[in-house]
């Protein structure tokens, strides 16, 4: 019993430390979120520091999150799975998964052996890149999986390849194409030109793919960010689209659609099934169907999410 009480006390301290140091809550806010007194919240944060559960990153594996990660890993035969605590006050906040994605990137990029990292776009991936520890690795390569020019000719704010290259000194390979071409024939011609073929060849050798997962509904990020029109989005929804990875829309069973915008998309398609280590990073109730479909369809073989999303996936 004493061991269980100590474990529970450290779990509470780790949760308080996460809310304070990573989510950025005050001790008064933490007291309300954990339903304890302010003095107790302060003691928990102090205990988190005293027990070295947290340095710059959370080091204490919270038991509930570890159990959820283990269940997801077993059910979907994943090579990698991490579940971070949910922030009750900001359920859509990506700070937690961005921190773990950054940790994964750090571990990969510390290698002295040359590695290739392929990146999708999205808020979680962008936030992760911003947290990567600067390191000099000129022998590594960073490659984009996504055409990063929108319909109006502007570049995506969430393009991450150049930023990660700045932090590592690695060679980088952007995908200098519009996200969508005007026709399937034009797409086929463009992806065969030599510079684009070289980018695809580098991506094919990637050691790690890190991608966001988007839902396909009226709040789809590919629409909000201006990459697809409302009519294009609705067409894909009528075709059965439930989610997208690097723009590639798929149905509820994780099958890539052979219609609509997928015919004109310049992004490098997902491997089916994923063989390269392919980590999806996503949270939120709206994304649960898309994440579950990607897992069932083997479009990804790794997942970084939060505990609320993890539970919802396992309950489906």
């Amino acid at each position: 019993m004493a061991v269980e009480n100590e474990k529970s006390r450290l779990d509470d301290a780790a949760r308080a430390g996460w809310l304070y140091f990573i989510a950025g809550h005050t001790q008064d806010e933490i007291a309300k979120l954990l339903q304890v007194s302010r003095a107790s919240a302060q003691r928990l944060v102090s205990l988190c520091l005293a027990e070295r559960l947290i340095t710059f990153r959370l080091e204490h594996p919270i038991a509930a999150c570890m159990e959820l990660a283990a269940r997801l890993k077993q059910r979907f035969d994943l090579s990698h799975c991490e579940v971070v605590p949910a922030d009750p006050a900001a359920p859509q906040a990506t700070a937690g998964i961005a921190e773990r994605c950054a940790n994964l990137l750090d571990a990969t990029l510390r290698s002295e052996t040359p590695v290739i990292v392929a990146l999708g776009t999205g808020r979680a991936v962008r936030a992760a890149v911003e947290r990567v520890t600067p390191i000099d690795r000129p022998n590594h390569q960073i490659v984009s999986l996504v055409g990063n020019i929108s319909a109006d000719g502007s570049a995506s704010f969430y393009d991450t390849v150049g930023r990660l290259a700045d932090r590592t000194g690695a060679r980088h390979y952007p995908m200098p194409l519009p996200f969508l071409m005007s026709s399937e024939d034009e797409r086929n011609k463009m992806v065969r030109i030599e510079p684009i073929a070289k980018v695809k060849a580098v991506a094919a050798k990637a050691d790690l793919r890190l991608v966001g997962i988007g839902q396909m509904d009226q709040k789809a990020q590919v629409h909000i960010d201006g990459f697809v029109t409302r009519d294009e989005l609705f067409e894909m929804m009528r075709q059965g689209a439930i989610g997208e990875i690097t723009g590639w829309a798929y149905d509820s069973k994780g099958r890539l659609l052979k219609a609509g915008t997928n015919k004109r998309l310049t992004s490098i398609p997902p491997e089916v099934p994923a063989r390269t280590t392919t980590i999806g990073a996503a949270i939120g109730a709206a994304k649960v169907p898309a994440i579950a479909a990607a897992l069932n369809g083997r479009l990804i073989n790794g997942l970084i999410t939060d505990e609320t999303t993890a539970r919802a996936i396992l309950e489906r």
Side-chain angles (χ1 to χ4, degrees):
M1 183 65 70
V3 172
E4 290 181 1
N5 289 339
E6 176 66 9
K7 184 173 180 292
S8 177
R9 188 172 69 100
L10 291 177
D11 281 355
D12 289 342
R15 198 174 293 273
W18 186 89
L19 290 168
Y20 187 80
F21 293 103
I22 296 176
H25 290 291
T26 66
Q27 291 181 0
D28 284 333
E29 290 171 337
I30 294 169
K32 292 178 182 177
L33 291 169
L34 298 184
Q35 298 182 328
V36 298
S37 67
R38 188 185 188 283
S40 294
Q42 187 176 24
R43 284 195 294 271
L44 287 171
V45 172
S46 297
L47 178 62
C48 183
L49 284 174
E51 294 292 333
R52 298 186 61 81
L53 306 182
I54 194 166
T55 53
F56 290 103
R57 293 203 171 99
L58 188 61
E59 300 293 348
H60 177 76
I62 294 173
C65 293
M66 285 189 67
E67 180 185 356
L68 288 167
R71 290 172 62 192
L72 285 167
K73 196 170 184 178
Q74 181 177 22
R75 177 180 292 189
F76 297 105
D77 191 25
L78 302 178
S79 62
H80 183 97
C81 186
E82 293 189 64
V83 175
V84 305
D87 181 355
Q92 300 301 318
T94 59
I97 62 169
E99 183 266 337
R100 298 315 301 164
C101 288
N103 189 69
L104 175 65
L105 288 171
D106 274 348
T108 303
L109 294 166
R110 278 196 297 269
S111 171
E112 294 286 350
T113 303
V115 297
I116 300 174
V117 175
L119 297 175
T121 59
R123 285 154 177 76
V125 177
R126 171 79 182 194
V129 167
E130 294 296 334
R131 288 167 166 79
V132 168
T133 305
I135 187 172
D136 186 34
R137 287 293 186 269
N139 292 327
H140 293 343
Q141 297 176 83
I142 315 297
V143 61
S144 178
L145 295 169
V146 185
N148 62 355
I149 301 174
S150 58
D152 64 2
S154 62
S156 169
F157 173 76
Y158 298 104
D159 180 45
T160 52
V161 172
R163 182 59 175 154
L164 187 55
D166 287 342
R167 301 181 79 81
T168 59
R171 295 183 67 185
H172 68 289
Y173 301 82
M175 181 71 73
L177 285 177
F179 186 77
L180 291 175
M181 303 303 296
S182 60
S183 69
E184 183 179 5
D185 182 60
E186 185 180 24
R187 188 277 304 271
N188 291 340
K189 289 177 181 177
M190 291 301 293
V191 298
R192 284 197 295 265
I193 65 174
E194 187 175 358
I196 304 304
K198 288 181 177 178
V199 172
K200 292 179 66 177
V202 173
K205 300 176 183 176
D207 300 285
L208 168 68
R209 290 186 177 199
L210 180 62
V211 299
I213 300 173
Q215 75 253 37
M216 291 294 278
D217 57 21
Q218 295 188 49
K219 294 184 179 180
Q221 210 61 54
V222 287
H223 172 54
I224 292 172
D225 290 343
F227 289 107
V228 303
T229 66
R230 182 175 180 272
D231 288 343
E232 289 168 336
L233 172 64
F234 283 4
E235 178 191 3
M236 295 305 285
M237 290 170 63
R238 285 192 294 270
Q239 295 285 342
I242 197 169
E244 59 84 16
I245 291 175
T246 62
W248 288 89
Y250 54 88
D251 66 15
S252 60
K253 294 185 178 179
R255 299 173 299 199
L256 297 180
L257 300 182
K258 298 178 181 179
T261 54
N262 278 9
K263 289 188 172 183
R264 300 184 284 116
L265 191 66
T266 61
S267 303
I268 295 171
E271 297 175 322
V272 185
R275 296 179 300 276
T276 301
T277 300
T278 304
I279 310 297
I283 62 168
K287 292 190 177 185
V288 168
I291 299 169
L295 290 166
N296 283 318
R298 302 294 295 161
L299 300 177
I300 56 176
N301 53 24
L303 179 66
I304 297 177
T305 191
D306 70 3
E307 56 187 321
T308 302
T309 308
R311 287 194 184 95
I313 293 168
L314 289 166
E315 289 168 0
R316 288 179 64 83

